[in-house]
Amino acid sequence: EAGVAQSPRYKIIEKRQSVAFWCNPISGHATLYWYQQILGQGPKLLIQFQNNGVVDDSQLPKDRFSAERLKGVDSTLKIQPAKLEDSAVYLCASSRTGSWNYGYTFGSGTRLTVV
Amino acid sequence: KQEVTQIPAALSVPEGENLVLNCSFTDSAIYNLQWFRQDPGKGLTSLLLIQSSQREQTSGRLNASLDKSSGRSTLYIAASQPGDSATYLCAVLSSNTGKLIFGQGTTLQVKP
């Protein structure tokens, strides 16, 4: 099966600019996650979707971050305006419903550098 | 609140050594524990998934164990190779919150 696709792979922007990341999960995976991984740390969950509904966005900085998952498939994560501390790798993951049995599959990530 | 800790943070070994990476978690209420590998600048590759009812899983030269009652997991790598050099992350799926919680990772360097 094809993996989780993410684009772009790299992005460099100036602070206060906006940026968007795209994710296409594994076909049939109802649950989609966006994680933020700051250098030297483990990934931290930003938002979780079940189909096209938000399950958990408690750690999403909603004043600048937004995410959507139209039609329960692809998802986009947007940052506007970006801050220096947003420099990180943004990882998308998906899982089948009932991830306790199947685990998560991660994409290659988007490395964001804010200058 | 579930916390996951990995020790050591970094490890350097000569090629051919057997090694153990450690992961501990504070809340035993988990569905499963997953070990991932991350190469520099890349995403996460799943290595092994252990259900909460299981004690261990094996894949090739890798063996992961789980002791849920003590909140510990180990990843054993046999006959290490330079290609094993990467960051290894463990993550637990909390049955209380449904969230996948990661440790900070162990960066492994295997020298030829």
Side-chain angles (χ1 to χ4, degrees):
Chain A
E1 71 185 354
V4 176
Q6 289 190 248
S7 67
R9 286 298 314 278
Y10 307 94
K11 192 74 176 178
I12 301 175
I13 62 172
E14 295 182 350
K15 59 183 179 183
R16 291 187 289 275
Q17 285 187 326
S18 63
V19 64
F21 313 127
W22 174 82
C23 172
N24 181 247
I26 292 175
S27 177
H29 282 198
T31 311
L32 184 147
Y33 316 82
W34 283 101
Y35 280 80
Q36 179 193 58
Q37 185 179 23
I38 293 172
L39 186 64
Q41 299 181 18
K44 182 187 78 172
L45 179 67
L46 292 176
I47 189 167
Q48 176 182 342
F49 291 94
Q50 180 73 22
N51 296 309
N52 60 347
V54 175
V55 173
D56 185 341
D57 63 357
S58 58
Q59 297 196 80
L60 187 74
K62 298 180 186 64
D63 58 333
R64 298 183 301 104
F65 285 65
S66 65
E68 62 180 6
R69 189 182 184 194
L70 299 176
K71 300 179 182 178
V73 182
D74 294 7
S75 177
T76 56
L77 176 69
K78 297 180 182 178
I79 307 175
Q80 182 180 9
K83 294 185 175 181
L84 297 176
E85 58 261 36
D86 298 332
S87 294
V89 176
Y90 291 84
L91 295 162
C92 179
S94 68
S95 67
R96 300 182 194 183
T97 300
S99 59
W100 46 87
N101 286 325
Y102 301 107
Y104 290 37
T105 302
F106 281 80
S108 299
T110 295
R111 178 176 295 276
L112 173 67
T113 303
V114 183
V115 298
Chain B
K1 177 184 175 185
Q2 177 73 269
E3 293 183 358
V4 181
T5 304
Q6 291 186 246
I7 294 174
L11 182 63
S12 181
V13 300
E15 181 177 4
E17 259 196 26
N18 302 324
L19 57 100
V20 174
L21 307 182
N22 296 293
C23 173
S24 62
F25 47 97
T26 56
D27 187 350
S28 61
I30 64 170
Y31 285 125
N32 60 47
L33 183 144
Q34 201 165 356
W35 281 94
F36 294 90
R37 169 183 172 140
Q38 186 173 34
D39 292 291
K42 300 292 180 63
L44 277 63
T45 300
S46 179
L47 298 173
L48 291 164
L49 172 70
I50 312 176
Q51 301 297 342
S52 62
S53 59
Q54 296 175 325
R55 298 284 292 184
E56 65 177 345
Q57 282 287 337
T58 298
S59 175
R61 295 182 294 107
L62 305 180
N63 175 276
S65 67
L66 173 64
D67 185 340
K68 197 173 75 165
S69 61
S70 67
R72 294 181 181 179
S73 176
T74 61
L75 179 66
Y76 175 83
I77 302 176
S80 59
Q81 303 171 359
D84 295 330
S85 298
T87 296
Y88 292 81
L89 293 152
C90 78
V92 296
L93 183 60
S94 168
S95 55
N96 287 329
T97 65
K99 292 184 180 180
L100 190 67
I101 309 298
F102 282 85
Q104 71 275 37
T106 293
T107 299
L108 171 66
Q109 182 185 34
V110 181
K111 297 180 179 179

